[in-house]
PDB file of all heavy atoms in Angstrom:
ATOM      1  N   THR A  83     -27.616 -11.837  44.405  1.00 41.00           N
ATOM      2  CA  THR A  83     -26.232 -11.750  44.855  1.00 41.00           C
ATOM      3  C   THR A  83     -26.089 -10.514  45.723  1.00 41.00           C
ATOM      4  O   THR A  83     -26.758  -9.489  45.504  1.00 41.00           O
ATOM      5  CB  THR A  83     -25.282 -11.630  43.653  1.00 41.00           C
ATOM      6  OG1 THR A  83     -25.686 -10.514  42.864  1.00 41.00           O
ATOM      7  CG2 THR A  83     -25.346 -12.875  42.786  1.00 41.00           C
ATOM      8  N   PRO A  84     -25.226 -10.583  46.700  1.00 44.00           N
ATOM      9  CA  PRO A  84     -25.053  -9.413  47.560  1.00 44.00           C
ATOM     10  C   PRO A  84     -24.482  -8.235  46.777  1.00 44.00           C
ATOM     11  O   PRO A  84     -23.709  -8.400  45.848  1.00 44.00           O
ATOM     12  CB  PRO A  84     -24.061  -9.907  48.618  1.00 44.00           C
ATOM     13  CG  PRO A  84     -23.363 -11.077  47.980  1.00 44.00           C
ATOM     14  CD  PRO A  84     -24.371 -11.711  47.099  1.00 44.00           C
ATOM     15  N   ALA A  85     -24.880  -7.051  47.147  1.00 40.00           N
ATOM     16  CA  ALA A  85     -24.427  -5.845  46.453  1.00 40.00           C
ATOM     17  C   ALA A  85     -22.934  -5.674  46.628  1.00 40.00           C
ATOM     18  O   ALA A  85     -22.391  -5.823  47.725  1.00 40.00           O
ATOM     19  CB  ALA A  85     -25.167  -4.626  47.015  1.00 40.00           C
ATOM     20  N   GLN A  86     -22.260  -5.403  45.486  1.00 44.00           N
ATOM     21  CA  GLN A  86     -20.817  -5.201  45.514  1.00 44.00           C
ATOM     22  C   GLN A  86     -20.492  -3.750  45.202  1.00 44.00           C
ATOM     23  O   GLN A  86     -21.117  -3.134  44.328  1.00 44.00           O
ATOM     24  CB  GLN A  86     -20.145  -6.103  44.459  1.00 44.00           C
ATOM     25  CG  GLN A  86     -20.364  -7.585  44.711  1.00 44.00           C
ATOM     26  CD  GLN A  86     -19.612  -8.074  45.929  1.00 44.00           C
ATOM     27  OE1 GLN A  86     -18.618  -7.452  46.339  1.00 44.00           O
ATOM     28  NE2 GLN A  86     -20.057  -9.165  46.513  1.00 44.00           N
ATOM     29  N   PRO A  87     -19.558  -3.169  45.856  1.00 50.00           N
ATOM     30  CA  PRO A  87     -19.194  -1.788  45.534  1.00 50.00           C
ATOM     31  C   PRO A  87     -18.543  -1.705  44.174  1.00 50.00           C
ATOM     32  O   PRO A  87     -17.855  -2.626  43.742  1.00 50.00           O
ATOM     33  CB  PRO A  87     -18.201  -1.427  46.664  1.00 50.00           C
ATOM     34  CG  PRO A  87     -17.632  -2.750  47.106  1.00 50.00           C
ATOM     35  CD  PRO A  87     -18.756  -3.734  46.969  1.00 50.00           C
TER      36      PRO A  87
END
Side-chain angles (χ1 to χ4, degrees):
T83 56
Q86 298 290 338

